């Protein structure tokens, strides 16, 4: 069975390591915060200016002055800090954040990502995504393998305007976990339970590299 | 040096049509509500506004868009505003979208005497079109320039009559860099106290950057995405 959103988030949460500072994008990436493995300590950064994000507030305790980059009301944990936008992006460009998780509309086999603009449709803007993908050492994309029309989102080259070039390291979809090969191509690492290599092949438009050992995703 | 003025109207004295104005805030968080209201009641038009977002239809910069007072928006994300969308698609409104970190750094550079800087953000994308590209340490960067802002309008939590400012939580966002960047910087605050009342250790924006300060009234502080967990 293919992974649902929670499943994708749970799988990505296994990439978290003790001591990581992590930036989570809007959508599926946000869910990763719910599945931090026990026994490790990570801090979540939100690029509007907070480190140490906690749970959503209890009803009636919302503070208009305390939001995340998705403009949702939040709380902070003990040891949190607030800072301005220049400091926030210094953390990001300066590679003080160890892991970035974000959604995408397309990823190419050399690690290019497109996630901010569909020409001819409403353009909302890139927000902090271009700064994040240009700088982060470790970028994981969380997305469905195909779009709502059933077309592959893993392509030889992106057709949409790019957010960043050759930056994605790993992709976790509803069907599989794939790494970007330094030589180009999607290396199949793990399959979602019940998903076949043939199904991933069929739904991957870019070059798929299938090693001898492919594990099943464990969440 | 007493920088206190009576209200938003007095603080915005000299703001004319065609000027470039920076406005602090992220979404509706930490926006200068009082000055935006005063601008929407004024006749200024053809403004170029530098602000991370463009408000919502009936609040924040949406109030100025409704009255067609904005000629150009320079922002990083403008998703929540139908009137904005309409004006942009019809060509009435000019829009320049830039990466959020680049926007923050361009504001900082403006006030810090740095005419331009290289950043990796946007390399290889349409943001890089027409910009100088240079390789540093094996990585490609693009040249981005400081702004030129006639007014910077910021919102702080507390301020004193010297113009020293303290922000609250994530309402800080772009306000400190923009405060540094205006030829005239206006600060509106929720609480205005006499000089000497704030602890100098805790000042976020030193008063040297602020020319005019006033206490805003009746802050609405609208929440865009009220997200809560239920009480069990």
């Amino acid at each position: 069975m293919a992974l649902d959103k929670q499943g994708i988030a749970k799988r990505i949460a296994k990439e978290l390591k003790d001591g990581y500072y992590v930036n989570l994008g809007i959508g599926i990436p946000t869910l990763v915060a719910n599945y931090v493995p026990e026994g490790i300590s990570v801090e979540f950064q939100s690029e509007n200016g907070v480190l140490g994000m906690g749970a959503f507030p209890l009803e009636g305790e919302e503070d208009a002055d305390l939001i995340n980059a998705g403009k949702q009301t939040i709380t902070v944990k003990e040891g949190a800090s607030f800072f301005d936008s220049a400091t926030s992006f210094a953390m990001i460009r300066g590679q003080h954040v160890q892991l970035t998780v974000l959604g995408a509309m397309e990823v190419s086999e050399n690690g290019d990502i497109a996630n901010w603009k569909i020409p001819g449709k409403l353009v909302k803007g890139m927000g902090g995504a271009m700064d994040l993908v240009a700088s982060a050492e470790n970028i994981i994309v969380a997305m469905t393998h195909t779009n709502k029309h059933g077309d592959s989102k893993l392509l030889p080259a992106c057709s949409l305007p790019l957010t960043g070039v050759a930056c994605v390291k790993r992709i976790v979809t509803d069907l599989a976990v794939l790494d970007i090969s330094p030589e180009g191509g999607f290396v199949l690492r793990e399959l979602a339970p019940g998903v076949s290599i043939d199904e991933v092949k069929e739904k991957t438009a870019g070059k798929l590299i299938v090693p001898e050992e492919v594990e099943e995703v464990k969440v | 040096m007493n920088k206190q003025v009576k209200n938003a109207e007095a603080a915005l004295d000299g703001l004319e049509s065609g000027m470039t104005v920076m406005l602090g805030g992220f979404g509706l968080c930490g926006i200068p509500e009082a000055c935006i209201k005063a601008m929407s009641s004024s006749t200024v038009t053809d403004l170029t506004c530098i602000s991370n977002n463009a408000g919502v239809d009936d609040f924040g910069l949406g109030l100025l868009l409704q009255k067609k007072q904005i000629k150009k928006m320079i922002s990083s994300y403008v998703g929540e505003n139908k009137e904005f969308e309409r004006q942009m698609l019809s060509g009435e409104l000019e829009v320049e979208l830039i990466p959020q970190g680049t926007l923050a750094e361009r504001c900082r550079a403006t006030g810090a005497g740095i005419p331009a800087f290289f950043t990796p953000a946007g390399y290889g994308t349409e943001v890089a079109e027409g910009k100088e590209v240079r390789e540093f340490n094996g990585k490609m960067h693009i040249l981005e320039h400081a702004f030129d802002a006639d007014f910077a309008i910021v919102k702080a939590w507390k301020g004193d009559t010297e113009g020293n400012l303290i922000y609250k939580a994530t309402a800080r966002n772009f306000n400190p860099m923009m405060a540094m960047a205006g030829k005239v910087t206006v600060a509106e605050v929720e609480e205005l106290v006499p000089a000497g009342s704030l602890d100098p250790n805790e000042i976020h924006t030193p008063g040297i950057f602020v020319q005019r300060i006033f206490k805003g009234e009746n802050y609405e502080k609208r929440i865009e995405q009220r997200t809560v967990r239920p009480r069990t």
Side-chain angles (χ1 to χ4, degrees):
Chain A
M1 205 182 76
L3 300 175
D4 60 7
K5 286 179 182 181
Q6 303 291 342
I8 294 173
K10 280 182 192 170
R11 174 59 191 83
I12 292 173
K14 292 173 73 177
E15 306 277 333
L16 300 172
K17 292 194 171 67
D18 193 40
Y20 265 16
Y21 290 97
V22 182
N23 182 288
L24 301 176
I26 294 164
I28 300 174
T30 306
L31 303 173
V32 173
N34 299 331
Y35 303 110
V36 179
E38 268 185 48
I40 73 165
S41 172
V42 297
E43 296 292 347
F44 293 105
Q45 195 248 22
S46 199
E47 64 268 24
N48 59 315
V50 55
L51 256 178
M53 259 191 297
F56 292 125
L58 288 169
E59 219 171 328
E61 293 182 4
E62 313 90 285
D63 180 353
D65 291 326
L66 181 49
I67 62 170
N68 63 18
K71 292 156 192 158
Q72 296 171 306
T73 43
I74 57 165
T75 62
V76 290
K77 301 195 300 182
E78 280 181 9
S81 58
F82 301 120
F83 36 86
D84 64 59
S85 303
T87 305
S88 181
F89 283 91
M91 292 174 192
I92 289 164
R93 285 191 308 265
Q95 302 194 333
H96 306 280
V97 173
Q98 279 80 28
L99 176 65
T100 291
V101 183
L102 74 175
M105 299 191 277
E106 295 177 348
V107 177
S108 78
E109 61 190 34
N110 71 333
D112 295 352
I113 178 172
N115 73 351
W116 76 282
K117 181 177 184 181
I118 303 176
K121 294 203 176 163
L122 175 60
V123 177
K124 293 188 171 191
M126 66 290 282
M130 283 193 182
D131 309 272
L132 281 157
V133 300
S135 311
E137 279 180 272
N138 194 3
I139 298 172
I140 298 179
V141 166
M143 66 178 191
T144 53
H145 213 93
T146 56
N147 65 22
K148 61 184 172 190
H149 308 295
D151 302 323
S152 180
K153 292 164 76 171
L154 291 82
L155 306 172
C158 294
S159 63
L160 294 168
L162 295 180
T163 309
V165 294
C167 53
V168 176
K169 296 282 186 292
R170 175 162 272 203
I171 306 159
V172 178
T173 76
D174 47 338
L175 304 182
V177 178
L178 310 102
D179 287 340
I180 299 292
S181 162
E183 290 78 41
F186 301 101
V187 183
L188 182 60
R189 295 294 182 201
E190 299 172 25
L191 284 166
V195 173
S196 67
I197 290 177
D198 283 344
E199 182 178 359
V200 175
K201 266 187 191 158
E202 185 197 327
K203 291 179 175 169
T204 304
K207 180 181 170 190
L208 184 72
I209 300 164
V210 183
E212 282 187 19
E213 297 257 329
V214 179
E215 290 178 33
E216 183 171 288
V217 175
K218 291 183 188 70
V219 295
Chain B
M1 242 179 274
N2 191 339
K3 296 173 180 178
Q4 184 179 358
V5 295
K6 197 175 146 211
N7 52 26
E9 287 73 18
L12 295 173
D13 183 45
L15 178 67
E16 291 169 11
S17 295
M19 281 187 166
T20 296
V21 185
M22 286 181 175
L23 298 111
F26 179 94
L28 300 178
C29 181
I31 59 171
E33 289 183 26
C35 283
I36 291 172
K37 275 186 197 142
M39 287 163 78
S40 77
S41 307
S42 78
T43 56
V44 291
T45 184
D46 286 324
L47 296 172
T48 293
C49 291
I50 302 168
S51 184
N52 190 55
N53 313 87
V56 294
D57 279 308
D58 61 345
F59 197 60
L61 286 179
L63 296 174
L64 305 189
L65 286 164
Q66 268 180 20
K67 293 188 63 198
K68 303 198 171 68
Q69 290 172 284
I70 302 178
K71 178 183 71 177
K72 180 177 181 180
M73 274 303 310
I74 300 176
S75 303
S76 88
Y77 191 85
V78 292
E80 342 298 339
N81 195 315
K82 288 200 176 61
E83 176 61 14
F84 183 98
E85 183 182 344
R86 193 197 63 72
Q87 289 185 22
M88 182 170 76
L89 293 174
S90 71
E92 290 166 60
L93 179 70
E94 205 183 321
V95 179
E96 185 180 340
L97 291 169
I98 59 182
Q100 194 177 330
T102 299
L103 176 62
E105 199 62 18
R106 286 178 70 183
C107 292
R108 204 194 75 80
T110 308
I114 305 285
F117 58 91
F118 282 96
T119 175
Y123 170 73
T125 76
E126 61 184 53
V127 164
E129 281 168 22
K131 290 175 185 162
E132 186 182 334
V133 173
R134 200 184 292 185
E135 186 180 329
F136 296 94
N137 305 321
K139 189 168 172 170
M140 304 308 281
H141 296 74
I142 60 176
L143 186 66
E144 295 282 3
H145 289 80
F147 291 112
D148 188 7
D150 299 297
F151 271 77
I153 304 173
V154 303
K155 154 80 197 309
W157 179 29
K158 295 177 186 175
D160 69 17
T161 49
E162 289 277 326
N164 295 306
L165 304 176
I166 297 174
Y167 308 93
K168 190 182 156 207
T170 55
R172 192 180 321 183
N173 56 62
F174 285 84
N175 286 299
M177 286 84 59
M178 290 184 172
M180 293 164 64
K183 289 195 183 90
V184 175
T185 290
V186 168
E188 57 172 87
V189 297
E190 289 174 57
E191 203 179 317
L192 183 59
V193 297
S197 310
L198 299 176
D199 180 347
N201 284 304
E202 308 211 322
I203 302 297
H204 295 135
T205 293
I208 189 171
F209 295 117
V210 176
Q211 279 71 48
R212 301 169 189 171
I213 188 166
F214 70 97
K215 183 181 179 305
E217 304 290 342
N218 305 319
Y219 279 100
E220 181 178 335
K221 292 198 182 183
R222 199 181 289 187
I223 293 174
E224 269 182 86
Q225 306 285 340
R226 186 178 300 277
T227 313
V228 295
R229 66 197 146 103
R231 290 176 183 276
T232 49

